[in-house]
Amino acid sequence: MEARVLFEIDGASVSGAIFKFSDSGEAKILFSEKESSGLEGKFDTDHLLSSMKKNLGKVIDSLSLKLPKKTEKAYCLLSSPYLASQNLSLKIEYREPVLITKELLDFLVQRETNDFEKNHLGHNDEVDKTAHEILEKKIQATKLNGYATSQPFGKYARRLEAHTFISITPSILRAEINEFLISRFHSNEVEFHSTFFCLFHQVRDIIKKE
């Protein structure tokens, strides 16, 4: 399998790694680099973004020397202050059992998502909703009548619970990073995630193995 690249952006600090997946699905790091200089006590937004982009360029240049060949896909992890995230807990009870469908669950989760966006962007209806975008919206677990299930659809239940992880990021920031990575690293696609979400899954996988 071809080598791929991973970047993590945390404030002005940028880490990067070249890795490969083994036949068993494990990721093996071939090379890594980190740049964290640039702030020197300055914490205004413009300087933060300028330092981050400068450090991102340095990490890309360093990784490019180790992987001159074009890679089809790059991954980018974002941390605060470049995103906002939250675990949403949906709990609803009906008087009579209802058929649980994907459409119903999607509708209920979207309603919770709308509330999350309002809490972070303000309650003004004139807020430009194109100024941000959903980075992740993943249903982590579902319960029907108090029992956990990974296959809730097509079943009847009076009580429905769903736990969803959601994150949002400024659209212009994601677009700039995406264009920067593609132009500098010659990648066809950049897949974005939040650092917290990836760490959660990593810890969960470790616990499952134990």
Side-chain angles (χ1 to χ4, degrees), residues 33-140:
E33 184 72 22
K34 182 175 182 178
E35 287 286 344
S36 57
S37 60
L39 284 181
E40 288 88 30
K42 300 178 181 179
F43 298 106
D44 62 276
T45 301
D46 291 339
H47 191 66
L48 175 67
L49 291 173
S50 175
S51 298
M52 180 271 287
K53 292 175 183 178
K54 182 178 180 180
N55 289 333
L56 180 58
K58 290 180 179 179
V59 173
I60 289 174
D61 289 341
S62 181
L63 265 60
S64 296
L65 294 176
K66 300 293 182 179
L67 186 67
K69 173 178 146 178
K70 177 179 178 180
T71 181
E72 292 298 319
K73 194 171 188 178
Y75 300 86
C76 184
L77 308 183
L78 298 178
S79 298
S80 178
Y82 303 118
L83 57 77
S85 63
Q86 187 173 322
N87 285 301
L88 305 179
S89 295
L90 164 69
K91 296 183 180 180
I92 189 167
E93 186 167 348
Y94 299 95
R95 297 184 63 179
E96 299 293 336
V98 299
L99 178 64
I100 307 301
T101 64
K102 183 178 185 303
E103 291 74 19
L104 173 62
L105 188 55
D106 287 346
F107 170 78
L108 296 173
V109 170
Q110 185 58 49
R111 189 171 63 183
E112 294 293 311
T113 300
N114 293 340
D115 290 339
F116 169 79
E117 291 178 300
K118 287 181 180 179
N119 290 335
H120 284 82
L121 301 176
H123 296 272
N124 190 339
D125 291 335
E126 296 181 0
V127 170
D128 182 8
K129 293 189 176 182
T130 64
H132 79 283
E133 60 186 83
I134 300 294
L135 191 66
E136 296 151 322
K137 185 168 65 173
K138 306 286 186 180
I139 297 176
Q140 303 287 77

Side-chain angles (χ1 to χ4, degrees), residues 16-28:
I18 300 171
F19 70 96
K20 276 187 177 182
F21 286 113
S22 66
D23 293 337
S24 63
E26 298 288 336
K28 180 181 180 181

